[in-house]
Each structure stands twice: as C-alpha cells, then as structure tokens.
Amino acid sequence: MKLLVTGGAGFIGSNFVRYMLDAAPEDDILCADALTYAGNYESLVDLEANPKFRFRELDIRDKNGVDALFAAERPEVVVNFAAESHVDRSIESPDVFLETNVMGTSVLLEAARRYGAERYHQVSTDEVYGDLPLDRPDLFFTEETPLHTSSPYSASKAAADLLVLAYHRTYDLPVTISRCSNNYGPYHFPEKLIPLMIVKALHDEKLPVYGDGRNVRDWLFVRDHCRAVHSILADGKAGEVYNVGGHNEKTNLEVVKTILSALGKSEELIEFVEDRKGHDRRYAIDPTKIRRELGWEPQVRFADGIGKTIDWYVKNHTWWEHILDGSYASVRPKK
Ligand code: NAD
Ligand code: DAU
C-alpha cells in the first residue's frame, strides 16, 4: 500500500510513521509536512536510510503543490495529521488555524477525490464535542454527541470534520474520521502540558497550572492512538467516525504532581496562573464503538506510559534542547 501521511513531522504523525514502518513493513510511506514551528525533521531524520520512507516538504494549503504530489505519487491511502494543534495559539491568532485546518483539509480532500484515493482518513479530536461538567462523571462523548466547540482550534477541527463527511455524502469519497482524546509520549512539542511540565521540572522552573488545575483530560499513550488509526484504515467503514480513548481521566494537577514525584522535585514548583479563555472543563471519551467494531483496546496504562515518557525526555534531552534553542529548525531533509 502507498500511504501519504500529512503532518508526519509533528508529535503524533512522527510516532505514526514509526509505528507503521514496524507494523506494516511492506507499505511505502510518503510523509508530507510544511515543517512549521511544530514540525521537527529531527524526529524523523534517523528514518532517512529506510527505503520504505520518503519525505516531502509541502504545505497542505498549496493547491498546486498538493495536486502535483498526487499526480506524481497517486497515494492509495491518505492520513491527515497536518494541523495547527495548540489551543492557546488559536486563542491568540486564529487565522492560520482556519487556513490550515479547514482550507488545507479541503485541498487534500479535493486531491483525494480527483486522483481516486481508496481511503482518506482525517485525524480529528475529542475537542469537537466541547466539554463535560465536572459533577457528571457518568457523561462521556460518543460519536453521536453534538459538535459544540469552544476554541478557534476546536471550531476549525469541527469544520474540517463536516467537510470530510460532506465529501463522503456528495462524492462518495471513502473517508473515515478518528476523534481521539489527549495523547502523550515521545516527540511531544514542549508547549503542551506534559512535555512542558517535564522540561520545566528538569530545569527547576515554576510549573504554570491554569486556573484551579481541576480541569480533566483523558490521556492516551500515543502508540495506542497510532494502533487505533491503523485498525480504522484496515477495518473501518467508509463514512464512519470512531472515538478513541482509554478511560484514563486525570486532573491537570494530578498529572503535574505525578511528573514532579517521578522526577523527585518539590510540589512547591507549582504555580497557579491565569486561566485559559473558554477553558474546557472535562474531556472523556466513550470508546465502545471502536472496541466493539474493530476490537481496539489501549495497551499502555497511564502509570507505565508516563514513566516511559519521562524517561524518554530525560534520555533524549538534546531533542527538546534543540527546540528550546531554536536549532531544530535548521535540521532539514536532504534535497
Ligand atoms: P503537532 O502540532 O505536533 O504536529 C502538526 C504537524 O502538522 C507539524 O509537523 C506541522 O509542521 C504540520 N503542519 C502544520 N501546518 C501544516 C500545513 N499547512 N501543511 C503541512 N503540514 C503542516 O500536532 P499533533 O499533536 O501531532 O496532532 C496531530 C493531529 O492530531 C492534529 O490534527 C490534531 O488536531 C490531532 N489530535 C491531536 C491530539 C493531541 O493530544 N496532540 C489529540 C487528538 C487529535
Ligand atoms: O483532547 C485532544 C486535544 O488535546 C488535541 O486536539 C490538541 O491538539 C492538544 O493540544 C490537546 O489540547 P489541550 O488543550 O487539552 O492540551 P494542552 O496540553 O494545551 O493542555 C492540557 C491541559 O493542561 C489543559 O486543561 C490546559 C492545561 N495547561 C496547559 C498548559 C500548556 C496548563 O494548566 N498549563 C499549561 O502551561
């Protein structure tokens, strides 16, 4: 199978490329990424020697560039991870979120339709469902939960999802969508909660916790998400949405305290700061559909996954130090 992975130099995309090279060594993987601030070629550079892996620097908003890539490569399957993904940045500067997440998705869908892709998979998020109240632990997001977004980021992801489903209904494009909860693991850009707190704790800096720290996220080890996308590509039904999550809800404060304790640092490093605007209170996925229809189950417990993640950041300190000093941006693919 010839697989086009867009956004493969980011956190989940780079983990997915590695996962697929292991899980489906017969597949040819072409990774396309614009290498924005969140794209990091250092996360992929060791794969250059693998004949099943190739990389193209490409912006999914560039219609002509995307068309030329599809004309030359004719990917059978497209998995779109490319997005602006950080909620705080979307609150500061929404425009690029609409351009990449909505218009970029539209460019990819059009190319997938014109060149007859056998599957277009959109990597979406549980944030399209909005949030749940803290005092109703019985409530979960199902695939039928109405879209009810809070931030420019989640609104742009929901708009993209609707466009993907419209391409199925109108043009019969064989699409699937996954809506996953918060991921954590290696290669996570240190602006997001878990890697940011690990890096700050290692430097004995203050750990900024928004609001009261009681917001809840439903954490999933990134490789479990990659396995879920793989099983949707293999056995998912065109036109369907699959929620992905492992019933692993934690408050932000619990997560931060776990990191401090694992690193032997004092909780006095915690600093409560101004809350995020429109801050979603709780996310919680009901993964019944993907479990029942595709037999997917998470394999990594949080206690193990967070330990592995912290170890990875300790051992691979040059990876995030290059982000902090900006030198990662000069690691580029060979022409
Ligand atoms: P990320 O920010 O780490 O990576 C995004 C990648 O997309 C980067 O490599 C970036 O260079 C690339 N990109 C951005 N704009 C582009 C453009 N215009 N053209 C081509 N490439 C572009 O994001 P992530 O956390 O790996 O998330 C990947 C996908 O998964 C996103 O679609 C996100 O909405 C979704 N998602 C993320 C999580 C999570 O917890 N991180 C959970 C559920 C869903
Ligand atoms: O749920 C899936 C989503 O998870 C993805 O769609 C997004 O792309 C991804 O970034 C993530 O969004 P969150 O907003 O949940 O992740 P973030 O790491 O930014 O924040 C997690 C929680 O931690 C959230 O409640 C805000 C809080 N937080 C975050 C940062 C960066 C803090 O308290 N302090 C911080 O410094």
Side-chain angles (χ1 to χ4, degrees):
M1 179 167 79
K2 199 169 200 181
L3 188 66
L4 173 64
V5 179
T6 52
F11 163 45
I12 308 174
S14 61
N15 277 281
F16 181 72
V17 166
R18 283 173 193 283
Y19 167 83
M20 288 302 287
L21 289 170
D22 280 351
E26 65 289 356
D27 288 354
D28 288 301
I29 299 189
L30 176 59
C31 173
D33 195 294
L35 297 178
T36 68
Y37 84 92
N40 187 345
Y41 193 68
E42 274 202 306
S43 305
L44 297 170
V45 73
D46 60 303
L47 302 177
E48 270 177 351
N50 188 324
K52 291 295 192 181
F53 171 76
R54 287 177 303 139
F55 183 89
R56 293 279 176 282
E57 196 167 333
L58 179 71
D59 193 317
I60 61 166
R61 295 169 294 181
D62 171 4
K63 263 189 194 167
N64 293 337
V66 169
D67 196 271
L69 180 90
F70 274 73
E73 300 284 348
R74 305 274 173 164
E76 290 151 17
V77 172
V78 181
V79 182
N80 180 28
F81 290 95
E84 289 292 335
S85 69
H86 191 38
V87 173
D88 291 331
R89 287 179 187 256
S90 83
I91 295 167
E92 291 305 315
S93 316
D95 289 5
V96 70
F97 284 74
L98 300 176
E99 289 160 12
T100 286
N101 300 2
V102 186
M103 293 313 295
T105 297
S106 134
V107 168
L108 286 176
L109 284 167
E110 195 48 26
R113 178 179 83 82
R114 275 162 52 83
Y115 291 96
E118 289 163 23
R119 176 68 68 83
Y120 175 94
H121 181 77
Q122 177 76 357
V123 180
S124 185
T125 169
D126 60 357
E127 295 200 18
V128 299
Y129 300 122
D131 65 350
L132 297 164
L134 289 183
D135 61 358
R136 290 292 308 273
D138 56 313
L139 295 180
F140 297 92
F141 297 136
T142 72
E143 290 79 2
E144 276 69 51
T145 301
L147 303 187
H148 189 74
T149 56
S150 309
S151 69
Y153 163 70
S154 54
S156 70
K157 293 294 290 185
D161 283 11
L162 293 176
L163 198 58
V164 171
L165 294 172
Y167 265 68
H168 179 65
R169 168 85 184 243
T170 306
Y171 304 113
D172 212 17
L173 186 70
V175 306
T176 41
I177 296 178
S178 50
R179 294 184 179 144
C180 189
S181 60
N182 285 63
N183 286 213
Y184 68 101
Y187 301 107
H188 203 178
F189 197 86
E191 65 180 351
K192 306 282 172 65
L193 181 77
I194 288 182
L196 181 74
M197 298 299 163
I198 295 172
V199 166
K200 286 201 177 286
L202 286 170
H203 285 141
D204 293 308
E205 288 173 9
K206 290 285 185 190
L207 274 52
V209 172
Y210 298 163
D212 59 12
R214 290 176 60 230
N215 301 63
V216 170
R217 296 293 182 265
D218 183 0
W219 294 98
L220 186 73
F221 193 64
V222 62
R223 202 168 167 92
D224 278 332
H225 184 189
C226 297
R227 283 179 37 255
V229 172
H230 188 200
S231 64
I232 295 168
L233 294 181
D235 299 316
K237 213 169 133 229
E240 294 291 315
V241 173
Y242 296 89
N243 282 356
V244 183
H247 285 304
N248 186 40
E249 294 177 48
K250 305 268 175 226
T251 67
N252 294 338
L253 212 45
E254 282 176 282
V255 169
V256 169
K257 287 182 177 176
T258 303
I259 293 169
L260 287 170
S261 152
L263 290 171
K265 303 284 182 175
S266 162
E267 289 185 8
E268 284 178 12
L269 289 176
I270 294 173
E271 180 174 55
F272 290 96
V273 299
E274 190 186 339
D275 210 354
R276 173 183 279 174
K277 287 189 180 66
H279 198 171
D280 282 337
R281 253 333 206 176
R282 169 175 170 250
Y283 302 148
I285 281 278
D286 175 353
T288 304
K289 179 176 175 180
I290 190 165
R291 194 168 55 217
R292 191 185 55 229
E293 295 186 12
L294 307 182
W296 175 88
E297 294 274 1
Q299 290 179 343
V300 181
R301 293 177 331 125
F302 187 74
D304 300 328
I306 194 72
K308 278 190 198 181
T309 304
I310 293 171
D311 279 356
W312 188 88
Y313 278 83
V314 169
K315 289 196 184 105
N316 294 277
H317 55 93
T318 51
W319 181 85
W320 51 265
E321 282 163 359
H322 289 172
I323 294 176
L324 298 189
D325 69 19
S327 61
Y328 76 112
S330 51
V331 182
R332 312 301 285 189
K334 285 192 203 117
K335 292 284 172 210

